[in-house]
Amino acid sequence: MLDLRKLRLLRELAHRGTIAAVAAALSYTPSAVSQQLSALEREAGQPLLVRTGRRVRLTVAGAVLVEHTEVILADLERALAALAASETRLTGSVRLGAFPTALRAIVLPALIELGRTEPGLEPTVTEVDPADVPDLLRGDHLDIALVHEYDNVPSTMGAGIELEPLLDEAVYLASQTAPGEPADTAIGSHATSRWIVGNPGTLCHTMAVRSCLNHGFEPQVAHHVDDFATVLRLVSAGAGVALVPQLGLIDVPEGVVLTALPIGRRTRIAYRAGSRSHPLLAAVSAELHCAAEFFREAGTDPADQPSAAS
C-alpha cells in the first residue's frame, strides 16, 4: 500500500525540483525527505527518481504516480468539503492570501462583511506575491488566495490548483502630461523617459518591461517600487512614469495624468483542487465577489477624475 504522506512529498518534489526545497517548504530535513522518498520507491517496487547532482527528476513511473496523487488529493479535498457541508453553522478558520492592491479594495470590505454575517468564521490574511500562491496552496499554508495575470504576462498555476474569475481591470499609463498619442501607442511616447517599475521577479515588473519592449524600447528604470500608492506619488513628483492597474488607482495625487491602455489585468480566486465547494471557502468567495462587484460598479474611469488630470 502506498503511503499518502510520502506521495505528497513526491508531488511537492515534482513542483519544486529539489529535495532541499521540499524540505524547507514542509519543515523537514533534507535527509528525512530523501529517506521517505526512498521508502516510497520500495513501496512502489520500481525507481521513481533519477538523481543528477543536487537535482532530481522523475522517472516515467514517478510522473505517472504524481498524476494519480493529484487526483487522490483533490478527491480528499472534496471529501472534506462534503463532511463540512453537513455542519449547521459556519465555524472555523480560513487562511487567505492576497496581493497588496486587492487587500485594500476587495479583501478588507469582504472581511468586514464576513465579520457581520458569519461571526463563527475566522479568516486570517497574508500578503503574498501571486507567483508564490501555487506552492503555498499545495503545501497547505493557505486555503484560498487571490492571484492575477496580465495580458502580456500569463500566469501558470500548475497541477493541483483551481481558478475562479473575480475581476477584470484596465492598466493605465501614469505620467505628468497627456501623451498626445492614441492609447495603443502612448507607451512609445515615453521611450526616453525614466520609468518606475516593480521589483524584478514580480508580474508587475515583467508586465512593464514587456510592454515597453513591445513598443520597441527597453525602459530606463529609475526606481523599483511595488507599492502603487508610492509609485503614483513618485510620478506626481516628476520622478518618472509608470504602468498602474486600476486597483492601484486609489487616492491619485494631483498632477498625475492617467491614460487607459489596451492592456488588461485579471484577478482570480485560487483554490487547492477539490476544495472549492467547502462551505467556509464558499462563504469567503461569495463576499470577495460582492466586494469586486462593488468596485466595478463604483469605479468610473480613473482618467476622467479631476484629481487624476489636474
Side-chain angles (χ1 to χ4, degrees):
M1 180 68 69
L2 299 176
D3 184 271
L4 182 58
R5 289 173 297 180
K6 299 185 184 76
L7 289 173
R8 285 182 184 271
L9 291 176
L10 184 68
R11 191 272 295 265
E12 289 300 310
L13 182 62
H15 290 293
R16 299 178 189 271
T18 68
I19 288 175
V22 174
L26 302 182
S27 300
Y28 284 89
T29 64
S31 61
V33 173
S34 183
Q35 290 170 10
Q36 291 293 304
L37 292 174
S38 295
L40 181 61
E41 287 184 307
R42 290 193 296 272
E43 292 173 6
Q46 54 185 299
L48 303 175
L49 307 172
V50 176
R51 292 166 175 81
T52 55
R54 293 186 178 183
R55 298 190 67 86
V56 294
R57 61 179 176 83
L58 300 181
T59 63
V60 173
V64 168
L65 197 53
V66 167
E67 289 181 6
H68 285 279
T69 299
E70 297 286 5
V71 175
I72 292 168
L73 293 176
D75 283 341
L76 283 175
E77 291 286 354
R78 279 185 279 271
L80 291 172
L83 286 174
S86 65
E87 298 290 336
T88 57
R89 294 179 64 249
L90 285 179
T91 59
S93 62
V94 174
R95 300 163 297 173
L96 168 64
F99 52 94
T101 51
L103 284 173
R104 179 166 60 171
I106 296 178
V107 174
L108 180 57
L111 293 185
I112 291 173
E113 186 63 17
L114 282 170
R116 187 183 68 82
T117 60
E118 300 293 348
L121 197 154
E122 301 175 358
T124 60
V125 176
T126 302
E127 182 180 313
V128 296
D129 187 277
D132 297 327
V133 163
D135 283 342
L136 291 171
L137 285 172
R138 283 190 289 257
D140 196 27
H141 300 294
L142 292 175
D143 300 309
I144 185 173
L146 297 187
V147 297
H148 63 66
E149 68 173 6
Y150 292 94
D151 289 342
N152 58 357
V153 192
S155 62
T156 302
M157 296 288 106
I161 306 297
E162 293 180 0
L163 296 173
E164 175 181 314
L166 181 65
L167 177 70
D168 292 347
E169 55 185 310
V171 174
Y172 291 78
L173 171 67
S175 63
Q176 285 193 317
T177 58
E181 296 186 21
D184 58 352
T185 58
I187 292 176
S189 68
H190 288 282
T192 60
S193 297
R194 289 158 57 87
W195 282 78
I196 307 161
V197 303
N199 280 294
T202 63
L203 294 180
C204 295
H205 173 274
T206 303
M207 178 273 296
V209 172
R210 285 186 182 177
S211 297
C212 292
L213 291 175
N214 288 341
H215 285 80
F217 70 95
E218 185 170 347
Q220 301 178 33
V221 178
H223 308 282
H224 289 99
V225 180
D226 292 329
D227 177 61
F228 285 120
T230 303
V231 168
L232 290 170
R233 278 156 181 75
L234 285 169
V235 173
S236 178
V241 300
L243 301 184
V244 182
Q246 189 173 352
L247 278 174
L249 298 176
I250 297 176
D251 300 327
V252 178
E254 290 189 5
V256 175
V257 176
L258 299 172
T259 303
L261 302 172
I263 302 172
R265 186 172 82 162
R266 291 172 294 281
T267 294
R268 296 177 289 180
I269 304 175
Y271 309 84
R272 275 189 301 280
S275 69
R276 183 172 168 177
S277 60
H278 193 290
L280 295 180
L281 302 190
V284 173
S285 171
E287 290 303 336
L288 291 172
H289 277 283
C290 288
E293 182 62 27
F294 180 83
F295 178 83
R296 273 191 296 266
E297 293 178 351
T300 56
D301 188 339
D304 295 334
Q305 298 177 14
S307 61
S310 58

